[in-house]
Amino acid sequence: MFMEAATYSNTTDLEEYTSSVTSYISKCIDDVTVSKTITTRPNQKPWMTAEVRALLKARDFAFKAGDKAALKKSKGQTVPGHQRGKTRTWPEHPQPLQRQR
């Protein structure tokens, strides 16, 4: 099919042949897959997962509400959640040093 389209008087035009094949492949890809644009900003860290964002949102809400008990609880959950996000992003990421008392 593609060879016939690129053949003129018993010679095959390689540029025309590759162009028709790649155009057909691109058309098939466009028909089958969905194109999605993902925007990342320089200040958006890769370990900021939905879980970490939810923990930070809960911490901020408790701070704004003035609820000291909820703030303390949310702060205790935020740091481990942040570390879990980093270890999921970089499995070889070294664990932070624990303060010895």
Side-chain angles (χ1 to χ4, degrees):
M1 174 168 104
F2 302 112
M3 184 73 93
E4 294 167 2
T7 304
Y8 305 106
S9 64
N10 294 334
T11 59
T12 303
D13 184 14
L14 188 60
E15 291 292 323
E16 182 71 28
Y17 184 61
T18 55
S19 175
S20 62
V21 170
T22 54
S23 296
Y24 183 74
I25 291 172
S26 296
K27 179 199 168 298
C28 290
I29 289 173
D30 291 341
D31 290 346
V32 174
T33 61
V34 176
S35 178
K36 184 176 183 180
T37 304
I38 299 174
T39 305
T40 56
R41 296 185 170 51
N43 62 350
Q44 186 177 4
K45 307 299 182 211
W47 59 84
M48 289 298 288
T49 61
E51 175 192 5
V52 175
R53 273 190 237 105
L55 291 170
L56 290 172
K57 191 173 181 179
R59 182 198 64 188
D60 293 344
F61 182 76
F63 177 77
K64 289 176 185 175
D67 188 0
K68 290 184 179 184
L71 180 63
K72 186 174 182 177
K73 181 182 175 187
S74 63
K75 279 186 177 181
Q77 292 173 344
T78 303
V79 173
H82 189 255
Q83 289 173 350
R84 278 193 306 273
K86 279 189 174 183
T87 55
R88 286 186 191 132
T89 305
W90 295 300
E92 69 279 354
H93 185 72
Q95 293 297 320
L97 296 175
Q98 298 294 325
R99 186 185 302 176
Q100 296 191 0
R101 296 177 187 202

